[in-house]
Amino acid sequence: MTFLKQAITLSALTFMAMTAAAQHTLFDTLTKPQLISNQFAFTEGCSVAKNGDVFFTDQPNDKIWKYEFGTGKLSIFLDKTGRSNGTYFDKKGNLVTCADDKGELWSIDPKGKVTVLMSGGLDGKQMNGPNDIWIDSKGGIYMTDPYYQRDYWTRKKTELDGEHVYYLPKGTKTPVKVIGDMKQPNGIVGTPDGKYLYVSDLGAQKTYRYTINKDATLSEKTLLFNKGSDGMTLDEKGNIYITGKGVTIYTPEGKLITNIPNTDNWTGNVVFAGKNRDVLFITASKSVYTLKMNVRGVE
């Protein structure tokens, strides 16, 4: 073996050893995700409440479900949800949802009362279909707006000039475009300190990091890895969890750590849940799963 080949082999072995160590640090690799239920059509938009319970959407059936971690009880939180997709809890405990039937954002209080935060689209043109959101410390909402033709829509094409990422300042009704060069933006999440925003261009199979400026604009676009994502979350170490074929975990620098597979065709979203935020809740097509982790989430 030549010196160069030997060096490459040792480097690969070192990387594999580091990856294996990182896996064990994050979770027990001998434990598989536990199936909670497989009674749904297509699960999405999981978000964690202050007490650790999870709310998630079953978009084709137009329902939002609640999973209670203390009891393991599953129940319907809201029927007729505007075909909600992505969700996120605000500071007051209201569940903000991407109601893509009419291209709206809804705020749903704990009793199920709906307030429409955004409707009417942009310059009289309907939004494509709000997909995923992240709320900053000021109450502003970052929103991805890809176009996925739904069988319940009467419209057959986008009214806008493309598929972009928008920001809705708190208390306003009209979103502002903050990213305009993506093919099909989807998963989005920000860091708890409000410094960075991660956005996936699922159509281009790329995920980027942006610096969040004081005026909510974005700068310093950085490619993290060549893989897109439907939904995203972060752990306390800054690791990035993306979805698609199972759950794939990357370091904050964009280095691959591992993949958590499941038996379903597609994993839509993921969030850390439970009282201690140390259980990974996974929405995967017709099913939802949980996996005990050795790290905590930060959402």
Side-chain angles (χ1 to χ4, degrees):
M1 183 183 294
T2 66
F3 176 78
L4 179 59
K5 288 183 178 180
Q6 189 175 37
I8 293 173
T9 301
L10 288 173
S11 178
L13 290 173
T14 300
F15 175 76
M16 291 172 62
M18 290 174 64
T19 300
Q23 287 177 334
H24 285 286
T25 300
L26 298 177
F27 62 95
D28 182 355
T29 56
L30 298 179
T31 301
K32 295 182 179 180
Q34 177 184 354
L35 176 66
I36 300 301
S37 178
N38 59 0
Q39 62 182 291
F40 313 104
F42 189 83
T43 55
E44 257 286 6
C46 48
S47 289
V48 59
K50 287 183 178 180
N51 67 353
D53 292 344
V54 170
F55 290 69
F56 63 96
T57 63
D58 184 2
Q59 191 179 39
N61 288 324
D62 201 16
K63 301 180 188 300
I64 296 176
W65 286 77
K66 176 183 178 181
Y67 177 68
E68 298 178 13
F69 265 83
T71 64
K73 179 183 177 182
L74 267 172
S75 61
I76 295 176
F77 169 66
L78 187 69
D79 209 343
K80 305 302 179 184
T81 70
R83 302 283 185 168
S84 287
N85 192 334
T87 69
Y88 201 88
F89 275 99
D90 67 15
K91 289 183 177 180
K92 294 182 179 180
N94 300 313
L95 186 65
V96 180
T97 75
C98 297
D100 88 347
D101 187 12
K102 297 180 180 179
E104 299 175 329
L105 291 182
W106 288 11
S107 174
I108 308 171
D109 75 10
K111 294 183 179 180
K113 180 182 177 181
V114 174
T115 300
V116 178
L117 299 178
M118 183 195 76
S119 63
L122 189 64
D123 298 327
K125 299 176 181 179
Q126 184 169 326
M127 307 304 294
N128 293 321
N131 187 279
D132 201 2
I133 53 175
W134 180 73
I135 303 177
D136 66 17
S137 61
K138 296 179 289 188
I141 304 170
Y142 288 94
M143 172 190 74
T144 58
D145 186 48
Y147 187 88
Y148 295 104
Q149 182 66 49
R150 310 296 189 187
D151 57 10
Y152 48 84
W153 285 352
T154 56
R155 54 191 166 118
K156 299 299 181 183
K157 62 180 181 179
T158 179
E159 297 179 12
L160 300 175
D161 63 352
E163 304 177 32
H164 309 306
V165 180
Y166 297 88
Y167 181 75
L168 183 70
K170 183 179 180 180
T172 67
K173 297 286 187 179
T174 304
V176 179
K177 187 192 300 183
V178 289
I179 301 176
D181 60 353
M182 287 191 169
K183 184 177 180 180
Q184 194 173 55
N186 200 308
I188 187 170
V189 69
T191 57
D193 58 11
K195 289 184 178 180
Y196 301 110
L197 186 72
Y198 298 99
V199 186
S200 166
D201 188 345
L202 188 58
Q205 283 297 303
K206 296 180 184 297
T207 296
Y208 299 93
R209 183 187 68 217
Y210 296 83
T211 295
I212 302 174
N213 302 317
K214 290 183 179 180
D215 62 356
T217 59
L218 304 175
S219 60
E220 298 179 338
K221 176 183 179 181
T222 303
L223 176 64
L224 283 182
F225 42 83
N226 290 304
K227 193 172 182 65
S229 181
D230 196 341
M232 288 194 286
T233 195
L234 306 172
D235 69 22
E236 61 190 340
K237 297 179 181 294
N239 296 316
I240 307 157
Y241 294 63
I242 71 169
T243 60
K245 293 184 178 180
V247 178
T248 306
I249 309 173
Y250 289 85
T251 68
E253 297 76 28
K255 303 297 183 182
L256 175 65
I257 296 176
T258 191
N259 175 268
I260 303 171
N262 60 51
T263 57
D264 298 274
N265 293 328
W266 184 258
T267 299
N269 222 307
V270 63
V271 71
F272 281 85
K275 183 178 180 181
N276 297 318
R277 302 293 193 273
D278 60 353
V279 178
L280 206 59
F281 189 91
I282 305 166
T283 60
S285 299
K286 297 180 179 181
S287 309
V288 291
Y289 296 85
T290 58
L291 177 65
K292 179 67 173 64
M293 303 294 289
N294 296 326
V295 289
R296 297 184 180 188
V298 295
E299 287 193 74

